């Protein structure tokens, strides 16, 4: 497992070693001890989620109230995604910035996000299956979204806007500036 720091503090790209032979492949795709040693994050999995998406499906930008927040470890079991980490932590040096990475079932790579970061992805293939390990239970009252199509954030998508499949919940979510002015965004902890 190789863990690389992304440009946004608390976001990491994970490359896993694939062991293959004539039977298939084996991948050790998650190790909490390696994450702790390389990032300082204590990633205690509380819940595992799985989504299957049509090509062009855009999910996010999602985040949870901090504290406790919800750190995420995201990978593809099948297909591929363009994954987005959005720094929505008020006071962070990279506040309002985002970074994208391609996650594929072929590469068996992953993205690790600390609590307080916004997350979104676009499915690049039909039937893409994404798995998420998270550090807190789903709590509907503590879950929030920012409109991923907000031009102020300027996320760059691999498909045009009319090719994206976006839920009404995400499409009707507040714009970034409105989320900031309402006080709903998490504060940067400085770690």
């Amino acid at each position: 497992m190789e863990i690389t720091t992304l440009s946004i503090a608390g976001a990491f790209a994970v490359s896993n070693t694939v062991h293959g032979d004539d039977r298939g492949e084996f991948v050790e795709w998650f190790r909490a001890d390696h994450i702790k040693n390389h990032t300082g994050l204590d990633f205690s999995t509380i819940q595992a989620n799985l989504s299957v998406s049509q090509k062009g499906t855009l999910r996010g930008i999602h985040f949870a109230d901090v504290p406790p927040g919800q750190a995420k470890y995201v990978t593809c079991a099948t297909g591929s995604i363009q994954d987005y980490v959005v720094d929505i932590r008020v006071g962070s040096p990279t506040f309002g910035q985002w970074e994208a990475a391609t996650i594929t079932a072929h590469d068996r790579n992953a993205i690790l996000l600390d609590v307080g970061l916004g997350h979104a992805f676009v499915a690049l293939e039909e039937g893409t299956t994404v798995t998420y390990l998270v550090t807190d239970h789903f709590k509907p009252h503590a879950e929030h979204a920012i409109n991923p199509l907000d031009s102020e954030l300027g996320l760059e998508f691999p498909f045009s806007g009319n090719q994206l499949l976006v839920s009404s919940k995400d499409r009707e979510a507040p714009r970034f500036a409105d989320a900031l002015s309402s006080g709903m965004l998490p504060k940067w902890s400085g770690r």
Side-chain angles (χ1 to χ4, degrees):
M1 177 179 273
E2 181 180 325
I3 300 174
T4 307
T5 303
L6 297 177
S7 64
I8 295 172
F12 305 88
V14 180
S15 298
N16 292 302
T17 303
V18 178
H19 305 279
D21 60 24
D22 58 348
R23 299 169 298 162
E25 68 181 36
F26 175 83
V27 178
E28 188 177 82
W29 64 276
F30 176 82
R31 289 274 307 260
D33 59 333
H34 287 314
I35 289 171
K36 177 77 169 174
N37 291 340
H38 287 90
T39 69
L41 300 178
D42 187 12
F43 198 100
S44 299
T45 301
I46 301 296
Q47 183 173 312
N49 303 325
L50 181 142
S51 68
V52 180
S53 299
Q54 296 180 37
K55 182 177 180 178
T57 296
L58 169 58
R59 296 182 186 265
I61 302 167
H62 299 152
F63 66 100
D65 285 343
V66 178
Q70 196 180 63
K72 297 178 181 178
Y73 186 89
V74 181
T75 192
C76 287
T78 63
S80 59
I81 60 173
Q82 186 72 26
D83 197 273
Y84 299 87
V85 178
V86 184
D87 193 346
I88 58 170
R89 302 166 300 180
V90 176
S92 166
T94 54
F95 178 71
Q97 296 178 26
W98 58 271
E99 186 165 355
T102 303
I103 307 300
T104 74
H106 178 266
D107 293 334
R108 302 294 182 208
N109 57 339
I111 288 288
L112 171 65
L113 298 92
D114 198 0
V115 299
L117 291 170
H119 180 250
F121 70 81
V122 174
L124 301 176
E125 300 176 47
E126 198 63 40
T128 293
T129 303
V130 177
T131 61
Y132 323 60
L133 302 177
V134 295
T135 59
D136 196 20
H137 301 103
F138 174 72
K139 298 174 182 161
H141 65 280
E143 299 292 322
H144 306 286
I146 295 170
N147 188 319
L149 303 173
D150 183 354
S151 60
E152 181 181 342
L153 284 173
L155 297 182
E156 296 172 5
F157 300 113
F159 305 107
S160 67
N162 63 351
Q163 294 175 305
L164 293 170
L165 302 170
V166 185
S167 72
S168 58
K169 173 189 165 199
D170 289 343
R171 191 175 294 280
E172 295 166 7
R175 292 180 31 239
F176 183 62
D178 295 334
L180 175 62
S181 66
S182 73
M184 72 187 283
L185 298 179
K187 308 290 186 278
W188 185 53
S189 67
R191 59 175 172 144

